[in-house]
Amino acid sequence: MKTHIRMIAVAALLLGFLNNTNAQDNDRAARRQEMQARQTERLIKDMKLSDEQKEKFTPIYERYLNELAATRTQQNRDRQAEQNKKDMSDAEATAKLNEQFARQAEQIQQQQLRLDIQKKYLAEFSTVLTPQQLLKVYQPQGMAQGNRQGQQGNRGNRGNFGGGGGGPRGGGFGGGGDF
């Protein structure tokens, strides 16, 4: 009898934990969508798009941001797992180095994927935007908003290759790219 009660209690706790995790994931997704919408509106305002351009640009840009965000998911999970590690033996340190090299190789692949996404969307954006407006789409976010890097420290540089860190920030080639 006591075993059944314990099992039910553990199951209830586990279920509560899973529901909380799902709620957090839903909150993150909602916040990401909200941030993307604000970012899109700022960019549209900054580029001074006509209503017709805005109507065509918005769905393309949202797909673009979603594809870029998908490339960051695994990278964020890897970073979180790394932070959870503590002291380790020599064998664990060697394994960690090998994992780090593998992660760097994966990051290079993700950057290439992000570059491919940017090039793919360049063609779509070009049907709606002028070359000057395209530069604003692909500039790092801090640069597109009047170079606010001084206020944000190094955060303004995260916009390269379409963002980094936790949230969707503008796409960018970081000062280069072939148009």
Side-chain angles (χ1 to χ4, degrees), residues 106-175:
E106 183 181 325
Q107 288 171 346
I108 291 168
Q109 290 173 340
Q110 287 179 344
Q111 286 179 338
Q112 182 62 51
L113 175 61
R114 295 173 74 76
L115 179 61
D116 293 344
I117 291 169
Q118 290 173 329
K119 286 180 178 181
K120 175 179 108 176
Y121 277 91
L122 177 62
E124 281 192 71
F125 289 141
S126 295
T127 64
V128 179
L129 305 174
T130 67
Q132 290 81 15
Q133 290 169 329
L134 283 169
L135 279 175
K136 291 181 181 182
V137 171
Y138 286 107
Q139 276 182 336
Q141 193 66 21
M143 299 295 287
Q145 294 181 3
N147 197 5
R148 297 185 320 178
Q149 289 178 357
Q151 296 173 348
Q152 297 177 349
N154 289 333
R155 287 179 57 203
N157 292 332
R158 280 198 218 158
N160 294 348
F161 295 103
R169 297 175 56 82
F173 287 107

Side-chain angles (χ1 to χ4, degrees), residues 71-85 99-100 102-104 106-107 110:
T71 65
R72 286 189 296 271
T73 304
Q74 183 60 43
Q75 191 174 13
N76 290 341
R77 281 190 213 122
D78 291 345
R79 191 176 303 130
Q80 188 67 29
E82 182 66 30
Q83 291 173 354
N84 292 334
K85 291 191 175 181
E99 288 173 15
Q100 187 174 351
R103 188 171 41 258
Q104 288 174 351
E106 183 181 325
Q107 288 171 346
Q110 287 179 344

Side-chain angles (χ1 to χ4, degrees), residues 19-59:
N19 284 338
N20 189 31
T21 302
N22 285 339
Q24 288 176 351
D25 288 345
N26 291 340
D27 288 347
R28 278 189 205 112
R31 280 192 307 250
R32 183 173 55 88
Q33 293 252 337
E34 199 174 299
M35 285 175 32
Q36 282 182 352
R38 282 194 306 255
Q39 177 182 345
T40 302
E41 286 301 316
R42 276 194 308 262
L43 188 58
I44 287 169
K45 184 178 177 183
D46 189 43
M47 291 189 297
K48 299 177 178 130
L49 298 183
S50 68
D51 288 341
E52 181 182 339
Q53 284 178 308
K54 179 180 176 180
E55 187 177 311
K56 291 178 182 178
F57 171 77
T58 301

